[in-house]
Amino acid sequence: MGPPSFFRRKKEAEKKEEKTPKSTEKSLLEELCRGDNELLSSLSRTVLLDPRRLQKEGVDSYVEKAQEFEEKKDFLRARVNYQAAGEVALYEGKLAQVQKFFKKCAELESNPEYRQVFVYYSKKANAEKALKTAQEYYARTLKP
């Protein structure tokens, strides 16, 4: 005797889902990055969906919190706050701050995959390209 029919239906539904083709549509960020996978990887982790929420506190507030956490040896929270400061700076178009805060993130990050994202911003050419792309992304997605 085989398994009850409700088990078979579930398996059939899963098979149908597997056959469904994946979406070939590119996201706006993918379109703006024009095939630059390193840029896409960095921006997809640092571009804010709603920058106004983080911008309310301001960059200085995040930097102060990050420095406090750094003094307490809480490097994860320090990195998170430096990242928030870098993301707000990216939104505001401040190149020097973007580089400074993401460089600090790279120093504090222990995960090599995330460190690579933050190191990307340490090169001026990369940071300029990311800033330009992010500004274009924000111009298209945010309405005043």
Side-chain angles (χ1 to χ4, degrees), residues 41-84:
S41 175
S42 295
L43 283 177
S44 65
R45 292 190 172 112
T46 55
V47 166
L48 299 168
L49 296 177
D50 188 4
R52 291 168 281 199
R53 291 182 66 191
L54 282 182
Q55 191 183 21
K56 288 177 186 175
E57 278 194 53
V59 172
D60 295 333
S61 171
Y62 291 111
V63 173
E64 285 175 24
K65 289 178 190 175
Q67 289 170 344
E68 288 172 16
F69 285 124
E70 212 172 351
E71 287 172 8
K72 295 176 184 175
K73 306 284 187 220
D74 190 346
F75 298 120
L76 177 61
R77 287 185 180 178
R79 197 269 304 153
V80 167
N81 279 281
Y82 279 123
Q83 182 176 350

Side-chain angles (χ1 to χ4, degrees), residues 16 44 47 54 57-59 61 68 78-79 83-85 90 95 98-100 105 108 116 129-130 137 139 141:
K16 287 180 184 176
S44 65
V47 166
L54 282 182
E57 278 194 53
V59 172
S61 171
E68 288 172 16
R79 197 269 304 153
Q83 182 176 350
L90 187 66
L95 179 66
V98 167
Q99 286 188 278
K100 178 181 175 182
C105 289
L108 297 172
Q116 184 178 357
K129 186 171 27 171
Y137 175 83
T141 57

